[in-house]
Amino acid sequence: MPTSLIPAPRGVVAGTGETRLTEASRLYAGAGTEGVGRWLGGVLRAATGLLWREAREPAQARDGVRLSLAADLGPEAYRLVSDPAGVLVEGGDAAGVLYGAQTLRQLLGADAFRRAPVRRDRVWTVPHLTVEDAPRFRWRGLMLDVARHFMPKEGVLRYLDLMSAHKLNVLHLHLTDDQGWRVEIKRYPRLTETGSWRARTKIGHRASPLWDDRPHGGFYTQDDLREIVAYAAERHICVVPEIDVPGHSQAAIAAYPELGNSDVVDTAALTVWDTWGINPNVLAPTEDTLRFYEGVLEELLELFPAHAGPFSPFVHIGGDECVKDQWRESRTAREQIARLGLADEDALQSWFIGHFDRWLAERGRRLIGWDEILQGGLAPGAAVSSWRGYAGGVTAARAGHDVVMCPEQQVYLDHRQDAGPDEPVPIGYVRTLEDVYRFDPVPAELTPEERERVLGTQANVWTEVMEDQGRVDYQTFPRLAALAEVAWSELPAPADRDFPGFERRMTEHYRRLDALGVAYRPPGGPRPWQRRPGVLGRPIDGPPPAL
């Protein structure tokens, strides 16, 4: 059983015998671990049907489970000991205790991930062993694009549980784009009244002739987002919101046409975009636009407090794929360039991003954006999501900026998993489970000091061709399990990694995913109902370039 743990722990020492958990077993949560105790008691009661009474003293939890903090362990590290005295989970902090508790669930077997017991006569045992573990990276993330296809609140909460089960700790929530605005902003109600839904949706790649003529939409109320943030915090996950500017903004312009370049196009005629690709309709680079988005961010900061975890001060502002054709044609934009003494439209975007860099810093926050924000320079506290390959991350690290490595060619999970004809809506390069497992977030050319700038990594799930939860599951799993191991475990160099051993451990992990109700891609290929025959994709042949 211990050999099936995912992500792989740093060290496991097997013992002899096992701890049997019964109706008499109790759960003790020491000082600082009470929240983990409430969570663990809830999931264990649901899955096992055992009572799991609370113990007030460690001795009362003999033959049960004890949770405590340990001064000799670092942040997020844990030690799990199963021996004749029961199960002890110690952590350097509450997050470490939680990760140890997730390992305990894996040791109990796949049925420990169910919401109700499937066999009342089941005997629950934990093998005698010691697990010593700690993460490689601090930032271990998943980006969910809820703008292209809206994921209801219950789906986001479900993904937080799935992330926690894989020891991931950052949810990057892509809340706005051309195709939808998903966060309630009370001072600007039309952002959701108009911007949160579109009349129809392109099916497949933008060149596809197919349309879904049903309106699509949805948004999170402010209380929904407070609930998501609190639910995440209970699982020691930080939620990093993204408001994409100055590109990818047609939904906002459809709601408030004055935000667009109205001296170039009839922005009042724009609707929420119903297809995919890079959109030419970008925000007007004016002081009025800045004031509008300051109002958006003021409400956003209240919803995503800076004290909710180590990465909760971050706010993502996008900054990618801003087509500047309208700025070149706009008299207003040209006058702004002259007024500010800027060189060109690229410098104008740098001014736009730099404004919010300073604005957030004044409020104790940190800006993070896609690697295009490097153009024109960044303030010292800003960080970069390196998506166009490794190069942006290398440049950022060498300039003294923190980096999250998420190169499209490696960890964009909307890319297809196989070259076979049955793969649903094939997008991009083939990125197999093994490809993700052999990804390394740290480029070899970085010096030891520059490597310290790599906060970690995340997988990005863009949902243009993922119309529902099942499609998101299919693209995300099982590859997210491989990314979780890359982010958590101390692995050899990519070529030396034991992928056959990982596949063997995945055999048991598929049973856990089954228990969790995850509609993953089976190793042998898509099930009949997971295919999308006749829907045009955008496959790219050959291996991805090393950028």
Side-chain angles (χ1 to χ4, degrees), residues 3 23 43 60 168 177 192 198 202 254 332 339 347 362 407 437:
T3 59
E23 287 283 1
V43 296
Q60 294 176 342
L168 299 174
D177 215 295
T192 47
R198 56 182 180 264
K202 173 69 70 173
T332 300
R339 184 180 305 112
E362 289 168 358
Y437 189 67

Side-chain angles (χ1 to χ4, degrees), residues 66-129:
R66 293 159 287 148
L67 309 178
S68 67
L69 300 181
D72 65 321
L73 296 175
E76 298 190 294
Y78 72 89
R79 179 168 50 239
L80 185 153
V81 180
S82 173
D83 61 19
V87 178
L88 171 64
V89 179
E90 298 178 296
D93 52 17
V97 176
L98 175 71
Y99 301 137
Q102 291 287 14
T103 295
L104 172 60
R105 289 176 85 194
Q106 293 197 19
L107 292 169
L108 285 168
D111 286 345
F113 290 85
R114 296 188 180 276
R115 296 184 183 180
V118 294
R119 289 185 297 277
R120 289 288 177 179
D121 59 348
R122 166 71 184 265
V123 176
W124 295 94
T125 62
V126 182
H128 286 171
L129 81 173

Side-chain angles (χ1 to χ4, degrees), residues 39-50 52 102 104-106 108-120 122 124 161-162 165 508-518 520:
W39 170 83
L40 181 61
V43 296
L44 290 183
R45 288 185 193 99
T48 67
L50 302 179
W52 288 105
Q102 291 287 14
L104 172 60
R105 289 176 85 194
Q106 293 197 19
L108 285 168
D111 286 345
F113 290 85
R114 296 188 180 276
R115 296 184 183 180
V118 294
R119 289 185 297 277
R120 289 288 177 179
R122 166 71 184 265
W124 295 94
D161 281 330
L162 294 174
E508 175 65 18
H509 200 66
Y510 286 121
R511 295 184 61 238
R512 298 177 193 129
L513 296 179
D514 287 334
L516 288 163
V518 177
Y520 58 85

Side-chain angles (χ1 to χ4, degrees), residues 164-220:
S164 179
H166 291 83
K167 300 182 173 67
L168 299 174
N169 67 342
V170 179
L171 173 62
H172 171 177
L173 207 53
H174 183 78
L175 289 165
T176 71
D177 215 295
D178 300 302
Q179 295 85 2
W181 183 283
R182 306 299 179 206
V183 51
E184 177 190 28
I185 302 298
K186 292 186 176 180
R187 75 184 69 185
Y188 304 129
R190 294 207 303 273
L191 286 173
T192 47
E193 291 170 358
T194 298
S196 70
W197 68 277
R198 56 182 180 264
R200 64 175 187 170
T201 299
K202 173 69 70 173
I203 299 176
H205 183 249
R206 60 181 174 271
S208 166
L210 304 177
W211 293 90
D212 182 344
D213 289 319
R214 298 172 297 175
H216 176 86
F219 65 93
Y220 307 110

Side-chain angles (χ1 to χ4, degrees), residues 121-436:
D121 59 348
R122 166 71 184 265
V123 176
W124 295 94
T125 62
V126 182
H128 286 171
L129 81 173
T130 299
V131 180
E132 299 267 1
D133 205 3
R136 178 186 179 191
F137 291 108
R138 291 175 287 159
W139 184 301
R140 306 178 303 279
L142 171 68
M143 191 224 70
L144 280 179
D145 168 19
V146 297
R148 271 52 177 272
H149 278 98
F150 179 63
M151 178 179 285
K153 178 194 70 178
E154 292 76 9
V156 177
L157 299 179
R158 173 178 177 265
Y159 259 83
L160 287 167
D161 281 330
L162 294 174
M163 291 175 62
S164 179
H166 291 83
K167 300 182 173 67
L168 299 174
N169 67 342
V170 179
L171 173 62
H172 171 177
L173 207 53
H174 183 78
L175 289 165
T176 71
D177 215 295
D178 300 302
Q179 295 85 2
W181 183 283
R182 306 299 179 206
V183 51
E184 177 190 28
I185 302 298
K186 292 186 176 180
R187 75 184 69 185
Y188 304 129
R190 294 207 303 273
L191 286 173
T192 47
E193 291 170 358
T194 298
S196 70
W197 68 277
R198 56 182 180 264
R200 64 175 187 170
T201 299
K202 173 69 70 173
I203 299 176
H205 183 249
R206 60 181 174 271
S208 166
L210 304 177
W211 293 90
D212 182 344
D213 289 319
R214 298 172 297 175
H216 176 86
F219 65 93
Y220 307 110
T221 68
Q222 294 196 353
D223 281 346
D224 287 339
L225 289 169
R226 291 187 183 99
E227 179 183 357
I228 287 169
V229 169
Y231 194 87
E234 290 174 351
R235 288 148 184 79
H236 296 276
I237 296 172
C238 296
V239 184
V240 175
E242 180 182 352
I243 303 294
D244 208 341
V245 295
H248 289 288
S249 297
Q250 183 163 319
I253 297 168
Y256 291 90
E258 62 270 24
L259 294 175
N261 297 284
S262 55
D263 58 344
V264 177
V265 295
D266 181 8
T267 56
L270 295 177
T271 60
V272 177
W273 212 25
D274 55 13
T275 189
W276 320 119
I278 300 176
N279 191 307
N281 295 301
V282 302
L283 297 174
T286 66
E287 295 293 335
D288 287 344
T289 301
L290 298 183
R291 299 292 89 75
F292 183 96
Y293 275 88
E294 286 173 2
V296 169
L297 290 172
E298 283 175 1
E299 294 193 24
L300 196 78
L301 296 190
E302 191 274 326
L303 302 175
F304 295 86
H307 57 74
F311 299 114
S312 55
F314 281 102
V315 175
H316 207 293
I317 50 74
D320 61 315
E321 298 179 329
C322 179
V323 181
K324 301 178 180 65
D325 293 344
Q326 290 183 359
W327 288 0
R328 295 184 182 96
E329 298 178 32
S330 167
R331 178 178 177 179
T332 300
R334 293 196 303 272
E335 289 176 348
Q336 184 74 303
I337 290 172
R339 184 180 305 112
L340 296 169
L342 302 176
D344 54 21
E345 289 77 17
D346 288 339
L348 187 60
Q349 178 173 347
S350 179
W351 165 81
F352 194 105
I353 299 299
H355 172 83
F356 289 107
D357 194 341
R358 294 185 297 275
W359 189 91
L360 288 167
E362 289 168 358
R363 289 154 181 80
R365 299 304 188 99
R366 293 186 65 187
L367 180 146
I368 184 170
W370 303 111
D371 54 55
E372 287 96 327
I373 69 171
L374 285 165
Q375 298 165 2
L378 282 178
V384 171
S385 301
S386 186
W387 77 274
R388 292 181 298 175
Y390 288 100
V394 170
T395 299
R398 287 177 173 168
H401 295 287
D402 288 337
V403 178
V404 176
M405 285 292 188
C406 48
E408 174 186 12
Q409 301 82 3
Q410 308 296 329
V411 290
Y412 268 34
L413 299 189
D414 53 317
H415 283 211
R416 56 190 173 141
Q417 301 182 67
D418 189 85
D422 290 333
E423 207 62 30
V425 198
I427 299 295
Y429 297 101
V430 173
R431 294 287 84 193
T432 65
L433 182 66
E434 181 173 1
D435 290 327
V436 175

